[in-house]
Amino acid sequence: MLAVDHFQGNRTPHTDPLARGAITGLSLKHTPAHVYRALIESICFGTRAIVEAFGDAFHPRRIVVAGGATRSPFWLQVHADTLGLPLILTEETEACALGSAVLAAHGAGHFPTIDAAVAAMVRVARTVEPDMATHAAYAPIYARYRAAYHALQPLRAPE
């Protein structure tokens, strides 16, 4: 089973507000857990497609994750596995609040530079390492995910 996560269009890499999501390969043997996993994997494949859209301009060695997603070990592991990259989680998972505090501390004169404030205030809590065997196993599924956008275009209902 494969899901395509374009349920509200796609901004990157296709820049297509009319793109639509889909679930393909669904059979009576599949359970709600299979559908859930396929949906999570599709979102993670979408993240990988965004990273790959940068081409030669950007090759991340790791990705820092923030927000509510940091509370889901499953979500984090599937992201690490599909990307083939480690995910870094900071002690303070609310990046906007932490970033505001860093800038405020610098602006108030507590730190001479923003980098100094970051060094003092941002701490890594843990790293989610990718399982590279799982990453390799995702390769053919990811290829199908990438092909699905183009395959679904002729099937769109008129808007």
Side-chain angles (χ1 to χ4, degrees), residues 2 5 15 21 49 75 84 150:
L2 176 75
D5 59 325
T15 317
W75 173 273
H150 300 290

Side-chain angles (χ1 to χ4, degrees), residues 74-96:
F74 175 68
W75 173 273
L76 293 168
Q77 191 63 58
V78 175
H79 258 95
D81 293 346
T82 56
L83 289 164
L85 294 169
L87 304 181
I88 309 300
L89 285 75
T90 58
E91 286 181 6
E92 175 52 59
T93 61
E94 296 305 323
C96 293

